[in-house]
């Protein structure tokens, strides 16, 4: 479904992503792993078109998306959930959700059906629909941004660091929800520093260091890999 081929990204003269190659098949959950500054967010932004490619190609469902604006990629079902639970604080939970559907024609037409689905999967949000979202906890905000991404009926949902700043208990709740989405067949590209948690969810992973993929493989193999154990799992 998604092919990232030999991609380079630069901010001004500083290149931060170097020849990155990976793919995501339909219905898969794949993790981009790495510590702060490894380049995970820059890759997601290059796929969603928020930052331009310096080199390489992005193919999605057979179409080349190298230079298309992010709006066109969104319309084609590439949806990025930004890190840090960024919401519209003075809008209600329901209004935030509707914003997710508002920029994609297909999603807007089906918004009521999607909302009903979201209410089932995210009961915590369902209880707070008419409340201004600034009153949500950090974990609830994170749920809201994922739910808002789903309102666009994504073909590919890219989630940037869902565990950022969350307590272990809330983190488990978020990951349980993501597992539910994975099991429903939503295609997910996840960026995470929390390697142990991400590899429990994803079927495959790519480890990034200094903008380069240094290791990739099936999650069960990465969890047993000595380098991963030492560098990322504290074992
Ligand atoms: P984090 O987990 O901290 O978000 P990351 O793996 O997502 O890290 P990126 O945010 O992609 O990494 O950053 C990769 C490199 O690009 C870092 O060195 C960062 O300082 C740099 N960088 C990111 N955004 C910009 C920007 N807008 N301008 C200049 N440099 C940037």
């Amino acid at each position: 479904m998604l092919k990232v081929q030999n991609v380079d990204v630069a901010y001004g003269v500083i290149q931060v992503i170097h020849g990155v190659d990976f793919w995501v098949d339909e219905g898969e959950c794949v993790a981009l792993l790495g510590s702060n500054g490894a380049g995970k967010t820059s890759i997601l932004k290059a796929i969603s078109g928020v930052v331009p490619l310096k080199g390489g190609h992005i193919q999605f469902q057979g179409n080349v998306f190298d230079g298309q604006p992010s709006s066109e990629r969104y319309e084609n079902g590439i949806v990025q959930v930004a890190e840090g639970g960024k919401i519209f604080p003075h809008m209600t939970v329901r209004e935030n959700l509707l914003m997710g559907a508002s920029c994609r024609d297909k999603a807007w037409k089906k918004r009521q059906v999607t909302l009903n689905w979201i209410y089932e999967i995210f009961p915590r949000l369902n209880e707070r629909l008419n409340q201004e979202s600034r009153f949500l906890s950090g974990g609830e905000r994170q749920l809201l941004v994922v739910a808002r991404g789903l309102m666009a009926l994504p073909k590919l949902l890219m989630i940037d660091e869902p565990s950022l700043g969350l307590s272990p208990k809330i983190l488990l709740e978020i990951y349980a929800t993501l597992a539910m989405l994975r099991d429903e067949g939503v295609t997910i590209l996840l960026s995470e520093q929390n390697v142990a948690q991400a590899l429990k969810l994803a079927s495959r992973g790519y480890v990034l260091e200094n903008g380069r993929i240094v290791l990739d493989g099936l999650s069960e193999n990465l969890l047993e890999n000595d380098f991963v154990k030492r560098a990322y799992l504290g074992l």
Side-chain angles (χ1 to χ4, degrees):
M1 171 183 253
L2 173 75
K3 272 190 194 155
V4 172
Q5 296 170 310
N6 203 20
V7 157
D8 299 326
V9 174
Y11 297 104
V13 294
I14 301 179
Q15 187 167 339
V16 298
I17 300 298
H18 306 266
V20 160
D21 277 298
F22 69 93
W23 80 95
V24 181
D25 283 334
E26 193 164 352
E28 246 194 328
C29 174
V30 171
L32 283 179
L33 308 163
S35 49
N36 274 328
K40 307 177 297 297
T41 302
S42 298
I43 292 176
L44 297 192
K45 285 181 173 172
I47 297 168
S48 59
V50 177
V51 298
L53 298 183
K54 181 170 184 282
H57 303 284
I58 305 278
Q59 263 194 53
F60 185 67
Q61 296 195 309
N63 300 313
V64 176
F65 278 93
D66 296 350
Q68 275 79 350
S70 49
S71 54
E72 196 177 323
R73 301 183 202 204
Y74 197 77
E75 191 56 46
N76 278 277
I78 300 177
V79 173
Q80 182 178 351
V81 174
E83 70 184 319
K86 293 188 184 80
I87 47 157
F88 299 103
H90 293 285
M91 293 170 80
T92 65
V93 168
R94 189 171 186 279
E95 287 164 347
N96 266 273
L97 289 171
L98 287 172
M99 287 298 285
S102 64
C103 295
R104 199 165 177 236
D105 284 347
K106 278 184 199 155
W108 187 249
K109 283 184 191 130
K110 295 188 180 158
R111 65 189 180 282
Q112 196 50 55
V113 176
T114 319
L115 273 175
N116 292 338
W117 176 58
I118 296 279
Y119 297 160
E120 275 176 37
I121 300 179
F122 299 84
R124 260 177 189 260
L125 298 181
N126 196 11
E127 289 162 16
R128 318 284 291 271
L129 281 182
N130 296 314
Q131 205 169 63
E132 281 187 35
S133 56
R134 66 197 163 106
F135 297 117
L136 298 181
S137 69
E140 288 163 348
R141 286 173 190 218
Q142 190 60 55
L143 287 174
L144 178 55
V145 291
V146 172
R148 191 175 59 198
L150 286 169
M151 284 298 297
L153 295 177
K155 291 181 183 157
L156 172 69
L157 184 66
M158 301 194 291
I159 309 176
D160 202 359
E161 303 226 23
S163 70
L164 199 71
L166 298 182
S167 70
K169 182 170 173 282
I170 302 291
L171 184 144
L172 289 181
E173 267 188 59
I174 302 271
Y175 266 86
T177 308
L178 295 181
M180 213 183 313
L181 297 175
R182 176 202 60 194
D183 296 343
E184 289 219 12
V186 178
T187 309
I188 298 174
L189 177 59
L190 176 73
S191 133
E192 256 302 359
Q193 294 191 33
N194 188 330
V195 170
Q197 201 62 50
L199 288 178
K200 280 185 209 154
L201 182 79
S203 55
R204 293 188 295 116
Y206 295 86
V207 180
L208 271 172
E209 288 193 353
N210 299 317
R212 291 185 168 84
I213 291 175
V214 295
L215 189 65
D216 68 272
L218 295 174
S219 296
E220 62 256 38
N221 296 341
L222 290 177
L223 283 166
E224 289 304 317
N225 181 280
D226 283 342
F227 167 71
V228 173
K229 279 184 178 173
R230 240 188 355 264
Y232 296 100
L233 302 176
L235 300 174

